[in-house]
Amino acid sequence: MVKGYPGERGYVLLLVPVILLAIITLSYTSLRKSKLSLRIAGGEMNYLQTELCSQQCASLAVNATNKAFNSGTPVTARTESCRCDPLACSNTFSVPVQDNFANCYGHTTWRTLVDVASTCREGGQELAKLTESVNFHEVPVFQFAVFFEKILELHPGPDMQIRGAAHSNDTIRIYPDNELIVHDWMTSSKTIEMRVAFLATPATGTSFALYGGGQGAKVQSPGGTFRSLHRFIPDWPAFQKAHRVAYGDQAGKCGKVESLQLNIQSLSNPRALIDWRVSTDAPDLRRWKYAWNASLIYRQGWKNNDLSTAILDNPVVIPPNVTVMGGRVAFTENRDYITVKLIPIDVRKLQQRAGDSIVYLHDSFTDALQGGKDVGGFLLHNARSLKGPFTIASNSRIYIQGSFNVDSVYIVNGARKPYPAAIACDYYTQLSNEWRGTDPSYPAGTAIRFRNPNARTVLNACLLAGMTAFNGTWSGQGGFHNYIRLMEDWENVPFEYSGSSVALWDARLSQSRFTGGSYSPPIRQWAFEPMYRSMNHLPPGTPRMVSPQLNAWEMSRQ
């Protein structure tokens, strides 16, 4: 009986073919000299053949299990055959053991432990048995308050707080104009830079506060106006220990900060998640593409998942106080200098069929009068109340008018929460409860607070959307605080947002460079909803990163 751990078994797999070839060579050389030598070498070769067969079958079992996770197939206790002529082999899967696991950086995974026993027999006699213990880790993309694939900039004008982990696979740049308080992990696989007037540490907790005087402010310490975070703080190791901030090799107690990627094999472009489905999509991509998983689809009419006609009371409803052009709601989008023409969707009527937890909306509307630009998309309204966990995905723009997912009876650990919900689209824009499509937008339009002195708008949803890229970078494109696009005068109006903000791709429909004159910022009361750290409370269809990890193995032979 031989036991080992993941690294050791890698050497065994590498050496088996070499040993097998050597034994075959020695056996051939010994054939002329001794029948006894032949029998010994033949027996040893049989042993190695059975071990190699059991390892091949175990590898097939692990690959099949990983494929099952990616395709959404339940992993259960069972036995499957695995031929390795002339041997008869089988794989036995134990009952999976599942739990939540948080690593040093607080990234939560759903961990499933599977024991696989690969047994090879000849003539009913067991010759070799390989047992492997394998963990399959599933990481949901919505476990972060902020997750950016490219440069993440934080330079809000009004005071702002980030509650929940923030990560970028590129550089993080922190240039607050006023106060920015970070409450959870801030990690970057490259570096973190900052330009602030001074830094203060709150009396309790692991939070830290940055006080800025604008992007051109002078740093109140020697060494210039622009520096990386660990140089600005005198005792960087102590700061990392007391707080939760790390980047690259400057990783404190948790080790190097790695780039985090969706590991769907056929997903070279993450934006494919919201693209229309095609027959050439690989099985693992079909598992995560919203267009394959939606039970209700809009594509030039309402359709079921099998693309047959869906029978329902049409949710395409024109809201009041808007301009209509050709059956679409039209208004000026100041940032992109176009008139968008959107299909209006009444979200209350969108939920009329029980079981429609994922809805996919497809649109493309090229306008010859605007240089052939695609100005289509969707305007969601009457969205204050959801009937259950709900996800809306689109290949195009999505605008939501008014509050979303506010009234809920969803209970988590005895506390009332919003329903798990998500919006996935090319890019996302929030309109206030007081928005009027017939009024000019900011800066010429009426301020929200003059329409309603008590105005407030609430968004409770995870967002999976793109950022406008300029020369291949997200630098200078507004940063996280402008990830949710706005287009009104929000001055002194609270915008309450609870969810997760994930930016994985370049917005395809927005090519204009960000400027600060397209709206006036609100009072940003933004927070991460902690229930999204649990696999039991994720929005329907949440993409997950699945990866197997070998814990230990054991080989026995007769």
Side-chain angles (χ1 to χ4, degrees):
M1 182 178 296
V2 182
K3 297 183 179 180
Y5 295 94
E8 297 171 346
R9 182 166 177 262
Y11 289 113
V12 172
L13 284 173
L14 178 64
L15 290 175
V16 164
V18 177
I19 296 172
L20 186 59
L21 179 61
I23 290 174
I24 293 172
T25 304
L26 290 173
S27 299
Y28 179 77
T29 304
S30 302
L31 181 62
R32 297 179 180 179
K33 297 182 177 179
S34 171
K35 293 182 179 179
L36 179 60
S37 298
L38 177 60
R39 286 196 297 270
I40 293 174
E44 195 65 31
M45 186 169 65
N46 287 338
Y47 277 133
L48 289 168
Q49 182 185 21
T50 56
E51 289 184 4
L52 183 59
C53 286
S54 61
Q55 291 184 26
Q56 288 175 339
C57 285
S59 297
L60 291 174
V62 172
N63 290 337
T65 306
N66 195 47
K67 184 177 180 180
F69 275 103
N70 276 314
S71 64
T73 304
V75 177
T76 59
R78 66 193 189 279
T79 299
E80 296 176 349
S81 62
C82 172
R83 291 296 302 176
C84 188
D85 292 330
L87 306 177
C89 302
S90 63
N91 292 320
T92 302
F93 298 81
S94 67
V95 178
V97 178
Q98 298 179 318
D99 64 357
N100 274 317
F101 171 77
N103 67 11
C104 185
Y105 286 119
H107 303 154
T108 304
T109 69
W110 183 247
R111 182 173 57 181
T112 303
L113 175 64
V114 179
D115 288 329
V116 179
S118 296
T119 306
C120 290
R121 297 177 174 85
E122 185 176 28
Q125 180 183 1
E126 181 179 309
L127 299 181
K129 182 176 182 178
L130 173 63
T131 302
E132 290 187 333
S133 176
V134 185
N135 269 329
F136 291 85
H137 294 268
E138 297 177 82
V139 182
V141 297
F142 293 137
Q143 67 170 264
F144 298 89
V146 191
F147 185 103
F148 268 43
E149 175 62 30
K150 295 184 180 180
I151 292 176
L152 168 59
E153 293 183 330
L154 294 164
H155 48 83
D159 295 347
M160 187 176 179
Q161 301 187 37
I162 299 179
R163 300 181 182 273
H167 176 83
S168 172
N169 283 335
D170 206 303
T171 300
I172 296 180
R173 292 176 178 163
I174 306 172
Y175 317 146
D177 282 354
N178 290 289
E179 180 184 77
L180 173 65
I181 301 179
V182 179
H183 291 271
D184 208 327
W185 274 107
M186 180 169 288
T187 56
S188 164
S189 60
K190 289 190 177 180
T191 188
I192 297 178
E193 302 168 344
M194 67 184 299
R195 182 186 286 129
V196 297
F198 59 94
L199 179 146
T201 303
T204 60
T206 56
S207 306
F208 62 94
L210 308 167
Y211 297 90
Q215 294 188 46
K218 297 291 184 181
V219 176
Q220 295 181 357
S221 62
T225 61
F226 186 73
R227 61 182 62 204
S228 58
L229 185 58
H230 74 285
R231 288 190 176 184
F232 177 74
I233 299 169
D235 191 348
W236 174 246
F239 184 85
Q240 283 190 302
K241 185 176 181 180
H243 304 86
R244 290 174 286 192
V245 56
Y247 59 89
D249 293 326
Q250 297 285 338
K253 62 181 181 180
C254 290
K256 181 178 174 62
V257 180
E258 302 288 351
S259 177
L260 303 175
Q261 304 286 340
L262 283 174
N263 64 343
I264 301 173
Q265 293 181 0
S266 56
L267 191 60
S268 57
N269 173 21
R271 194 189 179 282
L273 289 170
I274 60 170
D275 285 340
W276 179 241
R277 67 199 220 185
V278 293
S279 59
T280 55
D281 286 337
D284 58 344
L285 183 53
R286 293 188 184 207
R287 163 60 176 152
W288 302 119
K289 242 186 179 182
Y290 288 105
W292 284 106
N293 292 281
S295 53
L296 180 61
I297 296 170
Y298 181 87
R299 183 177 167 87
Q300 299 177 335
W302 295 100
K303 304 178 188 299
N304 291 316
N305 180 269
D306 59 4
L307 301 187
S308 59
T309 302
I311 301 174
L312 72 165
D313 186 10
N314 191 359
V316 177
V317 178
I318 302 289
N321 301 312
V322 296
T323 300
V324 180
M325 294 183 180
R328 292 171 175 253
V329 174
F331 54 86
T332 300
E333 169 63 85
N334 282 335
R335 176 166 174 174
D336 292 318
Y337 308 105
I338 58 173
T339 298
V340 292
K341 298 181 179 179
L342 311 176
I343 298 172
I345 305 292
D346 185 319
V347 174
R348 184 181 290 274
K349 296 186 70 173
L350 190 64
Q351 303 171 80
Q352 61 191 268
R353 305 193 320 174
D356 285 341
S357 60
I358 302 178
V359 175
Y360 181 78
L361 308 174
H362 184 279
D363 187 41
S364 179
F365 190 79
T366 55
D367 191 346
L369 299 178
Q370 299 186 70
K373 294 180 180 179
D374 185 345
V375 299
F378 296 88
L379 173 65
L380 308 182
H381 61 98
N382 197 15
R384 182 181 177 88
S385 299
L386 299 183
K387 295 182 179 180
F390 203 54
T391 292
I392 301 174
S394 175
N395 69 306
S396 192
R397 307 169 176 87
I398 285 184
Y399 294 69
I400 290 185
Q401 177 189 0
S403 295
F404 181 87
N405 188 22
V406 175
D407 302 322
S408 171
V409 294
Y410 194 70
I411 304 298
V412 179
N413 297 327
R416 181 181 170 186
K417 297 284 186 178
Y419 283 116
I423 305 294
C425 57
D426 186 70
Y427 68 81
Y428 175 77
T429 304
Q430 179 70 49
L431 305 173
S432 74
N433 282 305
E434 314 305 321
W435 179 78
R436 302 290 185 270
T438 53
D439 291 348
S441 60
Y442 180 84
T446 304
I448 295 173
R449 62 191 176 96
F450 291 141
R451 296 196 192 106
N452 179 1
N454 299 315
R456 60 187 280 267
T457 299
V458 180
L459 171 65
N460 292 320
C462 296
L463 297 176
L464 179 60
M467 288 285 292
T468 300
F470 185 75
N471 293 333
T473 178
W474 294 349
S475 178
Q477 292 305 93
F480 165 56
H481 45 295
N482 292 297
Y483 168 77
I484 298 175
R485 295 163 64 128
L486 306 169
M487 52 180 294
E488 300 171 80
D489 183 350
W490 288 77
E491 186 177 3
N492 294 325
V493 174
F495 173 31
E496 302 170 24
Y497 167 45
S498 173
S500 170
S501 300
V502 179
L504 297 180
W505 55 75
D506 297 343
R508 185 176 296 169
L509 301 179
S510 178
Q511 304 297 323
S512 298
R513 189 163 191 180
F514 172 79
T515 59
S518 58
Y519 72 94
S520 183
I523 301 171
R524 292 186 178 93
Q525 299 176 351
W526 293 9
F528 173 69
E529 174 48 64
M531 73 175 179
Y532 293 128
R533 289 197 179 101
S534 170
M535 297 290 285
N536 297 321
H537 303 295
L538 290 171
T542 296
R544 305 173 189 175
M545 299 170 272
V546 182
S547 60
Q549 181 183 49
L550 180 63
N551 294 325
W553 59 274
E554 178 181 309
M555 174 72 77
S556 61
R557 67 184 188 182
Q558 300 298 321

